[in-house]
Amino acid sequence: MNLKGRDFLKLLDFTAEEIFYLVDLAAKLKEKKKKGVPMDSLRGKNVALIFEKTSTRTRCSFEVAAHDLGMGTTYLDPSASQIGKKESIADTARVLSGMFEGIEYRGYGQEIVEELAEYASVPVWNGLTNEFHPTQMLADLLTIQEHFGRIRGIRLAYMGDARYNMGNSLMVACARTGMHFTACTSQKYFPDPVLVEQCREIAAAAGGSITLTEDALAGTKGADVVYTDVWVSMGEPKEIWEERIRELSPYRVDRGIMENAGEGAVFMHCLPAFHDLKTETGAQIEKSFGIREMEVTDEVFESSQSLVFQEAENRMHTIKAVMLATLAGED
Ligand code: CP
Ligand code: NVA
């Protein structure tokens, strides 16, 4: 397996074997890190980290992973660079390619990161767009593999806004790896029909399946993984909260949903999550709409079935695998 020079823009661009390779490489790197084995084989290289949206996990993962590999990092936020305002994506790509060995981009439309990759002569990694969040997928697959000892055949139910980056990406990840994906939400929030059809074909060949249902209990019955995400994503207007709360509240992950899924089921969430009142937004929502929890109850979030912090740590190990594989082509 040699991924040297490849971009990492969406999971659709990768075969199941390539995805499993990256997950296994991340597992090896995680073990090495725990044992304190040095892994700075990319010493002398530098990566640019462009963030047009905020981040805790993705930024920290790229920075820590790059530093562990011996690389330098430069963080660019939209207010501190010329990107988009005074300089096009195509020009930015060519400027950064002359100074850095790799470029991470988090922002809005998928077409932006695709354009960046087209013009860059170094690997480009997608740190989240409106449509896809591929590095999150590798962390989720590693977490599932660690917990269940396998990925193929696992049944994953996704609740909430399934037509945005997380719903799309999980559907693709499940299809590619032979998992069973169920989008369990109101019809309005089902993923794009064209992507659903594409994923159904991929899933059929890989031994998985794609199901869409509005029935929260039927959709989560017997699920191994119950997954959700925020109801309003970065870049969406705050006026949309009222509508989302009304339409997605029937799909909140609570104790009833987890019991319906079954004893061995786990809860996953890409984070950040609104499960209590300890955030500005959470407090504001309670004041405006009188609800204390949103996509997941605090009880489920804090339960022993919740894998969210293991999942968050795995962001770093999997992002390290992506950088190592695409920059060095080897472990
Ligand atoms: N899950 C995730 O991408 O988190 P951040 O927004 O903190 O990077
Ligand atoms: N759907 C969320 C994911 C955050 C990691 C967002 O785009 O804000």
Side-chain angles (χ1 to χ4, degrees), residues 54-59 106 133 136 234 270-272 315:
T54 53
S55 169
T56 296
R57 276 146 292 274
T58 310
R59 177 183 175 180
R106 162 172 286 198
H133 196 5
Q136 179 74 48
M234 289 183 277
C270 54
L271 304 183
R315 297 296 311 287

Side-chain angles (χ1 to χ4, degrees), residues 37-213:
V37 178
M39 50 181 101
D40 54 347
S41 59
L42 297 181
R43 231 182 350 264
K45 297 189 189 295
N46 291 286
V47 295
L49 309 176
I50 306 171
F51 281 82
E52 303 216 76
K53 290 176 178 171
T54 53
S55 169
T56 296
R57 276 146 292 274
T58 310
R59 177 183 175 180
C60 294
S61 295
F62 270 98
E63 292 205 11
V64 171
H67 298 158
D68 282 355
L69 292 170
M71 297 195 287
T73 54
T74 298
Y75 174 76
L76 292 160
D77 76 32
S79 62
S81 78
Q82 317 284 25
I83 300 167
K85 299 180 292 290
K86 286 172 65 183
E87 194 155 37
S88 68
I89 290 295
D91 292 356
T92 303
R94 288 172 288 180
V95 169
L96 296 181
S97 295
M99 301 181 199
F100 296 95
E101 275 74 24
I103 305 167
E104 179 276 352
Y105 176 85
R106 162 172 286 198
Y108 295 87
Q110 179 71 14
E111 70 282 0
I112 302 172
V113 77
E114 301 271 354
E115 188 183 356
L116 191 65
E118 187 188 333
Y119 285 90
S121 56
V122 299
V124 171
W125 309 299
N126 178 0
L128 177 147
T129 58
N130 295 345
E131 291 82 0
F132 293 112
H133 196 5
T135 61
Q136 179 74 48
M137 292 308 102
L138 295 181
D140 295 346
L141 293 173
L142 176 60
T143 309
I144 288 168
Q145 182 164 284
E146 287 174 341
H147 187 84
F148 293 101
R150 69 198 166 98
I151 291 172
R152 278 192 206 281
I154 291 292
R155 290 156 299 179
L156 185 146
Y158 180 85
M159 305 196 65
D161 184 2
R163 57 184 186 174
Y164 217 69
N165 42 28
M166 286 306 302
N168 289 342
S169 300
L170 284 164
M171 183 169 67
V172 173
C174 289
R176 274 276 183 254
T177 62
M179 288 170 64
H180 301 286
F181 175 85
T182 301
C184 187
T185 185
S186 150
Q187 192 165 2
K188 177 175 164 187
Y189 296 93
F190 285 173
D192 170 39
V194 175
L195 186 62
V196 170
E197 273 324 299
Q198 194 181 357
C199 286
R200 282 204 163 124
E201 275 176 31
I202 297 170
S209 60
I210 306 293
T211 306
L212 311 179
T213 178

Side-chain angles (χ1 to χ4, degrees), residues 248-308:
L248 293 177
S249 285
Y251 302 97
R252 172 179 295 119
V253 181
D254 59 14
R255 193 211 300 213
I257 292 289
M258 293 309 293
E259 281 175 0
N260 180 60
E263 241 175 60
V266 297
F267 171 70
M268 294 178 68
H269 190 310
C270 54
L271 304 183
F274 291 120
H275 58 95
D276 59 22
L277 301 178
K278 295 177 191 159
T279 62
E280 259 176 45
T281 308
Q284 190 57 49
I285 295 290
E286 191 210 14
K287 226 169 116 192
S288 306
F289 306 104
I291 62 165
R292 302 175 63 81
E293 301 157 317
M294 277 182 271
E295 71 273 11
V296 57
T297 62
D298 197 46
E299 184 184 20
V300 169
F301 186 90
E302 296 292 354
S303 72
S304 57
Q305 286 171 290
S306 172
L307 301 186
V308 296

